[in-house]
Structures are given as structure tokens and as C-alpha cells.
Amino acid sequence: MRDGKRSIFYELRDNPNLPPMEKSSLRLEHEGTLLVMAGTESTAKSIVITHYHLLDNPEMLARVRSELRTVSENASWSELERLPYLSACIAEGNRLSFGVTARVCRIAPDETLNYKGVSIPPGTPVSMTSLCAHTDENWFPDPWAFNPDRWLGAEGMARRRYQMAFNKGTRICIGINLAHAEMFLVIAAVVRWNLELFETAKTDVEFVHDYQVAFPKMGSKGVRAVVRGRPVSL
């Protein structure tokens, strides 16, 4: 408790509607991990990966800046998300950040599932990773390349059904809109600055290690940049 305000852990512990198992130390530990990993690290990673590729591809950066000239400098999230190329860049950043990278299982406890002629008994965990979906060359040719154009037009709209960074269905990330608001507002603000990558390579954003979210090579210092001037006028 701080300044008289209760954290989510107090609310869980003192909630009379929750069974004891939902108030155990392990359950609270899992909740804390979820808040840190899904609520902060995954969104930050998408922003970092998107901005790295924009700095590494001046033509893409110029296209984003060109779009931003069509809106005010204080444009809202709802205005920014209507910009096709900026939206495509963020979708591609989400694809290559992969969201939660570990397998998220689903279980039908009381029914037999039938999938393409295969019967899956009740209680069987079924899962796949966002890595598998986001690097499927049937839908994402040259899958490790940062290519925002793949999200544009009718084909791009059809491809969005394979975007798994926020999961799908009834268990889709509850914070998806907050995450998108953060990404649009932050990227739109940062691209107005003249930045230059500093001792940073593609290997500093590539998925090498699975720690619930994607991590690059060991020893990476992350994406670093040098500010070369005041914010550019768009």
C-alpha cells in the first residue's frame, strides 16, 4: 500500500468472491509476472523493434513521416491509427516481437474435439506458438524481414487473422487497446526526432531466446541510438 492506495494484490487477497486457491502466494506470483511481462515488456519490445527497423530503413522512416504530415503534431490515437503505413509498421513490429512467445494451452475438459479427422480426447492440452504462426511462409513470405507493405491492401487485411501477438478468441489480451494506444503515440512522437543507431545491429532485435517474451542474443545491449538534432518539423 502506498499513499493510502491499495495494489491489485490487496484486492485479490481481500476479495470475498475468490476461492482460497486464487489467493495463494503462487497465484499472486503468477499475477505479478503477468503484469510485468504482458503489461510492460511485450509492448516496449514491439515499440523498440518497430523503431529499430525504421531507423535502419530510411525510406520506411520517410514514409511514416510523410503520413504524419497529414495530421497535427498532437494527433490522438484514433487519428493515428487511421494512417495506413504507420499502422502497417506497428503490425509488423508486433509480428516480429511475437507477444507472449511461450505456448498458451487450451483445454476442452468435457468434450472430444475433432480437427481434420483427428479426435482430441477431453482434458488434452492443445497449443501452438506465435513463432509458428508469424513465420509461416504461406502467409508471411520472407518472414524474418521487416516489411510493413505486407499489411496493406486487401491481402493485408486478410493476413491480419494470422496476427497472434495479442492471442485470439475469448482469451485475447485484455490490454490490446492500451498497448496499441501506447505504440501509436510513442512511435509518432519519437520519429519526429533525428536519431541514428549506435552500435546496434539486427541481431539485437532478433528472436533467439524464449523467456516468455522474445529475447535477442546473450550479451546484447539492446537498441541504442544517438540524438543528432532537435525534433524535425513534419
Side-chain angles (χ1 to χ4, degrees):
M1 185 178 295
R2 184 177 180 182
D3 298 329
K5 297 180 180 179
R6 292 162 57 91
S7 74
I8 187 173
F9 301 105
Y10 286 98
E11 299 301 330
L12 289 171
R13 187 196 66 182
D14 299 338
N15 191 324
N17 298 317
L18 291 177
M21 64 176 293
E22 292 293 329
K23 303 178 182 183
S24 67
S25 297
L26 181 60
R27 171 70 173 83
L28 295 177
E29 177 186 334
H30 289 169
E31 192 70 29
T33 301
L34 179 63
L35 288 171
V36 171
M37 300 300 288
T40 56
E41 181 63 28
S42 58
T43 305
K45 190 166 292 293
S46 290
I47 292 173
V48 167
I49 289 174
T50 301
H51 205 70
Y52 163 79
H53 285 289
L54 290 177
L55 292 178
D56 196 47
N57 294 274
E59 291 183 4
M60 294 181 185
L61 180 59
R63 288 177 67 179
V64 171
R65 287 174 169 172
S66 178
E67 271 196 339
L68 288 174
R69 293 190 187 99
T70 66
V71 297
S72 73
E73 187 170 342
N74 298 316
S76 66
W77 166 39
S78 60
E79 293 175 295
L80 293 172
E81 69 176 352
R82 289 196 288 269
L83 300 179
Y85 193 70
L86 175 60
S87 297
C89 288
I90 288 174
E92 188 71 338
N94 281 331
R95 184 182 71 84
L96 288 176
S97 74
F98 300 98
V100 175
T101 48
R103 291 183 177 271
V104 182
C105 297
R106 299 290 180 267
I107 299 174
D110 304 313
E111 63 179 308
T112 298
L113 301 178
N114 293 292
Y115 179 73
K116 294 186 176 181
V118 177
S119 294
I120 303 174
T124 303
V126 178
S127 67
M128 69 176 297
T129 67
S130 57
L131 173 64
C132 294
H134 290 183
T135 57
D136 187 334
E137 294 189 2
N138 292 311
W139 289 100
F140 301 107
D142 194 9
W144 295 102
F146 185 85
N147 178 17
D149 287 322
R150 70 171 90 243
W151 298 101
L152 299 176
E155 289 187 3
M157 288 300 297
R159 190 170 280 121
R160 290 179 185 272
R161 67 181 296 191
Y162 300 102
Q163 172 66 272
M164 298 286 291
F166 294 95
N167 215 325
K168 290 287 188 180
T170 58
R171 298 293 293 175
I172 193 170
C173 175
I174 195 173
I176 182 173
N177 291 324
L178 175 60
H180 276 145
E182 290 180 49
M183 286 185 275
F184 276 94
L185 293 170
V186 170
I187 291 173
V190 176
V191 297
R192 295 175 184 275
W193 290 78
N194 287 318
L195 301 178
E196 181 180 313
L197 290 171
F198 173 74
E199 295 183 359
T200 301
K202 189 177 180 181
T203 53
D204 290 304
V205 296
E206 288 180 328
F207 182 5
V208 177
H209 301 285
D210 182 353
Y211 297 132
Q212 296 294 324
V213 294
F215 269 77
K217 64 183 181 181
M218 292 295 184
S220 171
K221 295 183 178 180
V223 174
R224 296 181 291 170
V226 176
V227 180
R228 291 301 187 189
R230 294 174 63 84
V232 296
S233 175
L234 298 178

